[in-house]
Amino acid sequence: MKTLLRLSIAAAFVSHVAYAEPTDVEDFSQAYQQYNASVESNNNQDTLKYAQQAYELGQIKFGQDSFDSAKLAINYANAVMVEPKKKNQGRVIEDEATLKAHQLFTSALAVYRENVTDNGIELIDPLIGLAESTTDDKYAKMLLFEAIEIAEKADNELTVAEVKLITFHRLSRTEYYTRTVRTLAFDAYDIYTSKLPEDAIKRVDATYLVGALYETMGKPTQAITNLVEVIKQYRALPYSHPYELRAHALLVKLYEQKGLGDKATEHCIAIGKMTPWSDQQEQTPLFRKPPKYPQSYAQRRKSGWVQVEFTVDENGFVKSPEIIDSKGGTQFEKESIEALSQWRYAPKFVDGKPTEAKSTVQLDFTIG
C-alpha cells in the first residue's frame, strides 16, 4: 500500500509539473526524472541523492510550505529511512538519518493537514512515515491508529490490511504490544486470504506471520497448517525466501514438541538444501530443549556446567554424546545427555550433500 500510494502521488505530481514553464523547471525536472528512474531500478544510493535534489529544487520553485514541496519531502524522507530500517531491522533508533526523516515527515504532515480534507486517504503516507521515524512509541501508536481509521473510512480493504500490518510491526517490540495490536496481524491475514490469490507474496508473508504467532500462542495445530502452506507457496520461487527458512525451522520445533521426529527430519534436510546456504554449510541448531535442573541440586542451590562432544548425523539427529568435562556433579551430566538427545540440527553439507559432523557445547546450570 505504501508503495502504491507513493507512486500514485508521484504520478500526480509529474502531471502537475508538466504544465509549468520549461525554463523554470529544467533543473528540477531533471532531478525528479532521475529520482523516478532510480526508484524504478531499485538503486537506493541514487534514490537518496536525487530525492534530496528534487526536494531542495522543489522548495525554490514551489515554496517551502507548498503541497508540492510536502510531497517531495515525503519522497526524500522515505529515501533517508531505507538504510536505518535495514541496519536496525525495523526498530527505530535515534540517529542523524532518522532525525532528518522525522523532521521531513513532521513538516510534510502539517502541510498535508492544511491541504487534504479530514480523513483523506492521502494523509496515510505522512502518518506512517512519521510513526516509523519517531522514537516515541506512544506517539507512533496514535499516528498509526489514525491511519487505520482513515483507511477503514476509505473502504479500501487492501489498504486497511497494509496499514494494520505496518502498525503491528511498529508496535510489536514496544510496551504497547497488546492483544489488540496482535489482532491486527490476523485482520490483515483475513483480508489477504479473501482478496488475493494463494500465491500472492503479501498473502504468503501474512500466512507466515500468523503461523509464527500461533506458535507463540501455544496453538501448534494452527501454526503447522499455516507454516506448511508458506513452504508450499515459496517452493515455487526461483530462490529461497527468508520466511521459507524460518517456517522450516519453526516446523522442526513444533513437530519435535509433538513427538513427530520423522516430520521434523524432513524440515532439517530441507533447510540444509535451501539455495542461500553454502555447499560447505556447517550444521546449525534448530531445536534445543534445555536440560532439567536436578531438584536435589536446586534445593541446595548447587551450580555447575557440563561440556559435551557429540555427532550430528546427516538427518540432523544428535548421536554419541560424550562428556568432555564437567563441574557440579553427575546429575548435571545425566540431564545434559538426556536433553541433547532431543536436539535437532540442520546437518552439515559437504559438496552439497548432508554428512555427519562433530560438535561441542557447554551447558551451564546456575541458580538465579
Side-chain angles (χ1 to χ4, degrees):
M1 182 280 305
K2 291 171 66 180
T3 301
L4 290 176
L5 280 177
R6 288 166 186 151
L7 288 175
S8 65
I9 289 170
F13 184 57
V14 169
S15 176
H16 173 82
V17 171
Y19 293 98
E21 289 296 328
T23 54
D24 294 334
V25 301
E26 183 177 353
D27 291 341
F28 166 76
S29 294
Q30 183 177 3
Y32 191 73
Q33 289 168 9
Q34 290 172 317
Y35 161 76
N36 280 325
S38 62
V39 170
E40 189 70 25
S41 63
N42 202 29
N43 186 327
N44 293 332
Q45 186 174 356
D46 282 353
T47 297
L48 177 59
K49 173 183 176 180
Y50 294 120
Q52 180 178 0
Q53 287 184 11
Y55 167 68
E56 292 172 351
L57 291 167
Q59 282 190 309
I60 296 171
K61 175 170 177 53
F62 303 113
Q64 292 185 354
D65 297 326
S66 74
F67 192 36
D68 291 326
S69 291
K71 295 175 184 179
L72 293 167
I74 291 177
N75 290 343
Y76 181 22
N78 285 326
V80 169
M81 284 297 294
V82 169
E83 286 305 314
K85 284 182 178 180
K86 286 183 180 179
K87 182 174 66 176
N88 302 322
Q89 297 181 325
R91 296 187 297 271
V92 183
I93 305 297
E94 188 172 293
D95 55 23
E96 185 177 349
T98 304
L99 288 171
K100 178 63 176 177
H102 180 73
Q103 179 186 18
L104 289 164
F105 281 124
T106 299
S107 62
L109 180 59
V111 175
Y112 267 62
R113 289 197 187 281
E114 292 180 359
N115 289 272
V116 175
T117 58
D118 288 343
N119 296 321
I121 197 169
E122 296 92 343
L123 284 169
I124 290 177
D125 256 8
L127 286 169
I128 289 175
L130 193 51
E132 292 184 329
S133 62
T134 180
T135 56
D136 186 337
D137 297 330
K138 183 177 181 180
Y139 182 42
K141 178 184 176 182
M142 181 191 73
L143 294 166
L144 290 166
F145 274 88
E146 180 183 352
I148 291 173
E149 183 180 357
I150 291 171
E152 289 176 335
K153 287 183 178 179
D155 197 25
N156 186 323
E157 288 192 87
L158 290 177
T159 299
V160 172
E162 286 275 1
V163 179
K164 286 189 173 184
L165 274 183
I166 290 168
T167 302
F168 169 84
H169 287 298
R170 174 61 182 85
L171 300 177
S172 61
R173 297 179 181 178
T174 74
E175 64 178 298
Y176 299 101
Y177 181 59
T178 62
R179 182 177 297 180
T180 298
V181 172
R182 186 179 68 189
T183 300
L184 297 176
F186 288 90
D187 292 345
Y189 168 73
D190 289 340
I191 292 171
Y192 285 147
T193 300
S194 65
K195 295 292 183 181
L196 297 177
E198 63 180 12
D199 60 349
I201 293 295
K202 288 183 179 180
R203 173 172 169 174
V204 183
D205 285 352
T207 302
Y208 167 78
L209 177 59
V210 168
L213 287 172
Y214 275 135
E215 189 272 331
T216 63
M217 294 164 64
K219 297 183 177 182
T221 301
Q222 295 95 321
I224 288 171
T225 298
N226 279 66
L227 295 170
V228 168
E229 177 64 19
V230 169
I231 291 168
K232 170 188 170 185
Q233 297 302 331
Y234 279 133
R235 277 177 178 166
L237 294 175
Y239 60 91
S240 295
H241 194 283
Y243 281 173
E244 182 184 0
L245 185 152
R246 295 176 195 172
H248 280 301
L250 279 174
L251 284 168
V252 170
K253 178 182 178 181
L254 289 163
Y255 283 134
E256 282 293 341
Q257 289 174 340
K258 292 172 75 71
L260 300 173
D262 289 344
K263 285 186 175 292
T265 297
E266 295 175 14
H267 295 282
C268 288
I269 296 295
I271 288 175
K273 291 181 177 179
M274 289 180 73
T275 303
W277 286 42
S278 166
D279 283 347
Q280 312 302 318
Q281 179 67 41
E282 294 297 320
Q283 68 264 44
T284 304
L286 298 177
F287 173 73
R288 287 179 169 178
K289 183 176 182 179
K292 295 179 181 178
Y293 211 108
Q295 187 174 359
S296 60
Y297 287 9
Q299 289 172 345
R300 288 181 282 163
R301 302 187 66 80
K302 190 175 184 180
S303 60
W305 48 264
V306 180
Q307 294 177 349
V308 188
E309 181 181 73
F310 55 93
T311 298
V312 176
D313 71 14
E314 63 272 14
N315 292 319
F317 286 101
V318 171
K319 293 173 50 179
S320 308
E322 296 182 3
I323 304 297
I324 302 173
D325 198 1
S326 69
K327 179 183 178 181
T330 57
Q331 284 298 310
F332 286 147
E333 295 180 0
K334 179 183 176 181
E335 294 296 345
S336 296
I337 296 296
E338 185 171 338
L340 273 167
S341 67
Q342 300 176 65
W343 287 16
R344 300 303 302 277
Y345 284 76
K348 179 176 181 177
F349 276 70
V350 176
D351 297 328
K353 296 180 180 180
T355 186
E356 290 188 352
K358 293 282 189 179
S359 188
T360 60
V361 70
Q362 176 170 311
L363 301 174
D364 295 309
F365 295 81
T366 58
I367 296 292

